[in-house]
Amino acid sequence: MKVQTTCSFCATGCSLEFEVDENKILSCKPVADYPVNKGLACIKGKNLAYQNSMEHRVTTPLLRDENGKMNPISWEEAYEIIVKKFKDINEKYGEGSLAFLSTGQIPLEEMALLGYVGRFGMGMEGDGNTRLCMATAAVAYNQSFGFDSPPYSWDDLMTTDLAIFIGANPAISHPVPWWRFRKENKNVELVVIDPRKTETANCAKTWISIKPKGDLYFLYALANYLIEEEYVDEKFAKENLNNFDEFKKFVKDYTLDGLREKCGIDKKVLIDLGEEIYKKDKVSFWWTMGVNQSFEATRTAEAITNICLLMKKIGKKGCGPNSLTGQCNAMGSRLYSAETCLFAGRKFDSEKDREFISNVLEIEKELIPKRATLAFNQIIEKVETKDIRGLWVIATNPVVSYPHNTTMENFNSKIDFLVVQDIYSDTETAKEADLFLPSATSLEKEGTFINTERRLGSVQKVVEPPEGIKSDYEIILEIGKVLGLDEKLKLDNWKTPENAFNLMKKISEGMPCDITGVDYEKLKNSSGIQWPFKKDEILENDYRILFEDYNFYTENKKANLIFEKPQECPEIPDEKYPFTLITGRGAIGLWHTLTRTRNIPIVQHTYPNEDYILINKDDAEKLNLKDEDMVLVTSKNGSCNIKVKISDEMLKGQVFVSMHYEVANRLTDALYDPYSKEPSYKYATVSIKKV
């Protein structure tokens, strides 16, 4: 038997075909004609089946006893304990004392059900780890376009004339489209803007080695240059963009003369880029965590968008301000988790939207939250202050992934009752749990993912989960029922993931992300479908872009030029902390906090079990360091011991640590973008001492 499903690692959205016999996976191969991956798969996707290994998994819930030991219990006992603990906390401390932390790595239907049961039914706060990676892009698109609407398709990367990657390293983070890009777009001019000479920068015609956190000044100066050179059609700009005159006046202060001090680059570098943007027909910007994870991330993403809008590099093939999403279903989380927006991007404070949703879901309007949830960091802060007493963590590992993670030490002692629901019982967060609930992998359940280009892909059950392990959908639904929410939430309407999908379809009607034309069953074994796809619409091709008519989702249909004076950098290298620390993805085979990729044999044999700090040769000589030496790295937030690797990737004064191991977030600070509340993971100042 052959089963086609969507990969559950990154947001590329590759389709994979598994051969199965007697509930055992025999082989996996990428689907040759799927428009996303076209027969390609990276090391993670090809080895996705290894996540099903029973190593690190258990087949019953585990409950911590008074001696700290985790003991197996039945599902019935687990549900009774959750209900008792959660109800006791709510009664004792009131509404707002319970919260959940979710993910971008479970299907849309599970996210929707979790938000529904948690927020609508139990009055919980709840946020996802998509806050840690994609909140910036969501807020920036919302503010610029009036809706969280990435305008591009992967096909735009394959057809662009000038590809500008800023704070992005797709050679590592999105390898499949990167491989396609290198093969299919031979004549493209590739520009990389990044402090580090990344694997992507090594392939570029131009590497702009920008000073860390100099990107916002650079982008404003680039916009000013394009306007002053009269490369911008001002008549078009005034007719289609809000705030053009104000923006034109604002960027006059961002001159070529300031580039050396603010950005560490010569003015000719910007002039050459500006000329290429003007000359080339198809110009596209691509960004990811190097932009998103910053203390002024939203304005930086909007500064990229401003240039595309000014130069009319949007709404046509090969163009666009294009945010590359991280997790497999981060787009689904952004629209269908009832966290930062109501389902399908509807608004919490809109009486009309709340009335519409209450009618579709057949529930009282008063059950629908009137505001967005607290952000991830605010939930953790309220755990610290004891305002939140019960926490439900689903498919994420914040003990490692949270910034300045010394905050997460002895996490169990900071909370009255911690439930962790995950595939593996030995993650750093699961080890802190009072109650652990074993959940199925993506190959053991069904639903849909939405990839970075807005494509809905089917998640089909490849094999049955081991006896005793349940899907996240089953667990959440059963908890809702044991809590007595059946009638209140009409849970009979949510019996299956397909039921949940069809409810979300109805709620999406008339929204920019309208999916009323998508059939859940027909999505299986298909090429996927990008939203919007309305009822009775005919799918003419596999790839579609937005804003071809320059009508946006704002009230007056114009896009917004958003801008603000750059903030002062909160940390500047000094005598005590002379090095700038940069963090990022370490290698193609590594994923997040390593909980799934550790099961892949080739990853175990190819990548080290512990992290390295990359350092420039000249800096290493000054510190009398050689490869494999152990050093103590200290920031104002924490310290760690780590081995040295001398690398020509690094410029003098800069060092790099990958994000996957526990090391990086012992050093990063808990700084957040004021609009997206996304952490500033990519930057800190540190000292280095040989030990």
Side-chain angles (χ1 to χ4, degrees):
M1 180 178 70
K2 294 180 179 179
V3 185
Q4 182 180 334
T5 193
T6 306
C7 182
S8 59
F9 277 112
C10 82
T12 298
C14 295
S15 188
L16 305 172
E17 183 181 84
F18 290 85
E19 187 172 353
V20 182
D21 185 45
E22 294 184 352
N23 209 46
K24 292 183 179 179
I25 295 172
L26 304 180
S27 67
C28 168
K29 66 178 183 179
V31 176
D33 59 353
Y34 198 71
V36 170
N37 53 314
K38 294 189 174 180
L40 296 172
C42 76
I43 185 176
K44 298 187 297 293
K46 286 178 180 177
N47 291 280
L48 182 60
Y50 282 106
Q51 72 176 350
N52 284 27
S53 165
M54 286 310 295
E55 188 177 6
H56 317 297
R57 300 181 77 183
V58 295
T59 56
T60 66
L62 301 176
L63 178 67
R64 188 180 302 278
D65 65 23
E66 56 189 23
N67 297 315
K69 184 182 177 183
M70 297 295 279
N71 300 301
I73 60 172
S74 69
W75 279 102
E76 291 74 19
E77 290 174 295
Y79 294 147
E80 288 175 9
I81 290 164
I82 289 173
V83 169
K84 183 179 187 308
K85 292 286 188 179
F86 281 175
K87 283 186 174 180
D88 286 350
I89 288 170
N90 243 350
E91 288 173 8
K92 188 172 181 180
Y93 300 106
E95 189 170 322
S97 57
L98 296 172
F100 64 80
L101 293 175
S102 182
T103 182
Q105 296 177 83
I106 59 176
L108 178 159
E109 297 76 14
E110 293 180 345
M111 291 173 176
L113 180 62
L114 175 62
Y116 188 55
V117 170
R119 297 211 67 207
F120 290 41
M122 300 170 65
M124 285 181 153
E125 300 293 343
D127 202 9
N129 64 14
T130 39
R131 173 77 69 176
L132 309 183
C133 58
M134 297 315 305
T136 289
V139 173
Y141 282 140
N142 260 310
Q143 291 185 353
S144 294
F145 301 152
F147 195 81
D148 178 13
S149 44
Y152 67 96
S153 294
W154 279 128
D155 198 46
D156 293 316
L157 182 58
M158 312 310 155
T159 56
T160 190
D161 298 327
L162 173 60
I164 304 166
F165 288 97
I166 176 167
N169 188 16
I172 294 298
S173 61
H174 296 82
V176 168
W178 173 253
W179 297 334
R180 284 188 55 202
F181 169 65
R182 299 288 288 161
K183 179 182 178 181
E184 297 177 30
N185 200 343
K186 297 289 189 183
N187 297 319
V188 69
E189 183 170 337
L190 175 59
V191 175
V192 173
I193 304 172
D194 202 298
R196 182 168 67 100
K197 195 172 186 182
T198 63
E199 292 82 354
T200 304
N202 275 322
C203 299
K205 176 185 176 183
T206 303
W207 169 43
I208 300 176
S209 54
I210 198 165
K211 184 178 179 180
K213 301 308 159 198
D215 39 11
L216 190 51
Y217 186 98
F218 179 86
L219 292 164
Y220 286 155
L222 179 58
N224 185 41
Y225 177 81
L226 294 168
I227 293 171
E228 288 194 338
E229 291 298 309
E230 298 183 355
Y231 293 159
V232 173
D233 182 341
E234 294 201 9
K235 182 176 182 294
F236 166 86
K238 290 177 180 179
E239 289 175 352
N240 292 276
L241 309 176
N242 292 314
N243 311 317
F244 173 72
D245 289 334
E246 296 91 334
F247 181 73
K248 180 180 177 181
K249 181 180 178 181
F250 170 81
V251 295
K252 282 185 179 296
D253 291 337
Y254 299 85
T255 65
L256 297 174
D257 293 335
L259 285 171
R260 171 53 59 186
E261 177 192 352
K262 298 291 186 181
C263 308
I265 59 176
D266 294 327
K267 62 177 71 175
K268 185 177 183 303
V269 172
L270 185 145
I271 291 170
D272 289 347
L273 180 60
E275 292 298 317
E276 288 301 312
I277 290 172
Y278 175 62
K279 291 174 187 175
K280 293 283 195 293
D281 179 41
K282 299 175 182 177
V283 178
S284 57
F285 284 80
W286 307 82
W287 81 88
T288 184
M289 304 314 158
V291 167
N292 287 350
Q293 293 173 336
S294 169
F295 58 88
E296 52 184 1
T298 301
R299 293 295 180 254
T300 304
E302 289 164 345
I304 295 169
T305 300
N306 292 344
I307 292 169
C308 293
L309 291 167
L310 290 167
M311 299 303 294
K312 295 188 276 188
K313 306 301 184 184
I314 188 172
K316 59 182 181 179
K317 198 169 187 178
C319 293
N322 305 325
S323 164
L324 295 175
T325 307
Q327 299 176 76
C328 58
N329 196 30
M331 256 329 284
S333 176
R334 284 152 66 171
L335 290 174
Y336 289 99
S337 63
E339 293 167 356
T340 56
C341 66
L342 274 176
F343 299 132
R346 294 184 182 274
K347 298 183 185 301
F348 288 103
D349 60 359
S350 166
E351 285 294 314
K352 181 180 177 183
D353 283 348
R354 294 171 69 250
E355 183 75 37
F356 181 81
I357 287 175
S358 73
N359 289 334
V360 171
L361 300 181
E362 301 175 15
I363 60 171
E364 296 295 325
K365 188 171 68 173
E366 288 67 30
L367 295 176
I368 303 173
K370 295 182 180 179
R371 62 163 177 84
T373 179
L374 294 177
F376 199 111
N377 67 297
Q378 293 169 318
I379 290 172
I380 297 297
E381 287 163 9
K382 284 187 175 290
V383 169
E384 290 274 303
T385 60
K386 300 290 187 182
D387 292 301
I388 287 176
R389 299 283 183 144
L391 188 63
W392 185 9
V393 178
I394 299 97
T396 187
N397 189 18
V399 167
V400 175
S401 61
Y402 190 69
H404 193 181
N405 68 7
T406 48
T407 303
M408 307 300 286
E409 289 179 348
N410 302 312
F411 193 57
N412 180 272
S413 66
K414 299 178 180 182
I415 199 154
D416 292 9
F417 188 61
L418 175 62
V419 181
V420 176
Q421 182 172 315
D422 208 324
I423 300 169
Y424 308 113
S425 62
D426 69 334
T427 71
E428 289 81 357
T429 306
K431 288 177 181 177
E432 296 287 317
D434 294 300
L435 178 65
F436 176 78
L437 305 176
S439 60
T441 73
S442 63
L443 299 179
E444 298 167 346
K445 59 186 176 183
E446 67 172 270
T448 54
F449 291 153
I450 305 179
N451 80 344
T452 189
E453 55 164 9
R454 314 182 318 278
R455 185 178 302 273
L456 284 84
S458 178
V459 178
Q460 295 199 68
K461 185 184 286 187
V462 176
V463 291
E464 293 294 329
E467 187 175 353
I469 291 176
K470 297 174 180 280
S471 73
D472 291 292
Y473 196 92
E474 290 176 288
I475 296 169
I476 298 162
L477 185 63
E478 287 169 5
I479 287 174
K481 288 181 176 179
V482 177
L483 281 163
L485 300 175
D486 295 64
E487 182 57 32
K488 180 179 175 182
L489 295 184
K490 300 294 188 293
L491 291 180
D492 278 350
N493 296 334
W494 294 74
K495 286 181 180 177
T496 68
E498 184 174 3
N499 294 151
F501 181 84
N502 288 332
L503 289 170
M504 295 303 105
K505 270 178 60 173
K506 291 179 182 178
I507 291 173
S508 78
E509 185 173 4
M511 297 299 292
C513 61
D514 193 318
I515 55 171
T516 51
V518 181
D519 185 288
Y520 184 85
E521 281 299 316
K522 290 181 180 178
L523 194 61
K524 297 175 180 178
N525 307 314
S526 75
S527 294
I529 297 174
Q530 288 177 290
W531 65 253
F533 188 67
K534 302 175 184 178
K535 185 170 54 179
D536 299 326
E537 188 174 349
I538 297 172
L539 190 65
E540 296 179 352
N541 53 59
D542 286 330
Y543 287 111
R544 290 175 299 141
I545 55 175
L546 302 180
F547 310 130
E548 291 178 292
D549 57 2
Y550 260 76
N551 283 327
F552 297 89
Y553 301 122
T554 59
E555 192 171 334
N556 65 2
K557 303 300 182 185
K558 296 182 181 183
N560 296 314
L561 295 173
I562 311 285
F563 49 93
E564 185 176 14
K565 184 179 178 180
Q567 301 176 35
E568 290 297 320
C569 189
E571 292 188 37
I572 298 173
D574 56 21
E575 188 175 337
K576 187 174 182 181
Y577 301 113
F579 292 96
T580 299
L581 171 69
I582 300 168
T583 71
R585 197 171 294 280
I588 292 174
L590 303 179
W591 178 252
H592 286 196
T593 62
L594 307 179
T595 55
R596 289 197 285 161
T597 52
R598 64 181 170 168
N599 284 350
I600 300 174
I602 193 171
V603 169
Q604 294 173 354
H605 297 130
T606 307
Y607 302 109
N609 292 324
E610 55 188 2
D611 208 357
Y612 285 78
I613 187 166
L614 304 186
I615 188 169
N616 177 273
K617 180 182 177 182
D618 293 341
D619 289 330
E621 286 179 356
K622 285 183 180 180
L623 295 171
N624 193 27
L625 298 175
K626 61 183 184 298
D627 279 341
E628 302 291 323
D629 278 350
M630 187 68 73
V631 293
L632 174 68
V633 182
T634 304
S635 72
K636 70 178 186 180
N637 313 303
S639 62
C640 63
N641 289 320
I642 187 170
K643 286 183 179 178
V644 165
K645 184 175 180 181
I646 298 169
S647 171
D648 60 6
E649 290 180 21
M650 306 310 302
L651 299 181
K652 288 176 67 173
Q654 298 175 13
V655 293
F656 174 84
V657 174
S658 77
M659 56 172 269
H660 310 286
Y661 305 81
E662 199 175 355
V663 173
N665 287 333
R666 291 193 165 275
L667 302 170
T668 55
D669 198 4
L671 299 171
Y672 304 89
D673 177 84
Y675 305 103
S676 67
K677 298 293 188 291
E678 186 159 342
S680 183
Y681 278 123
K682 299 299 181 186
Y683 181 90
T685 57
V686 298
S687 65
I688 300 172
K689 182 180 179 181
K690 189 174 181 178
V691 296

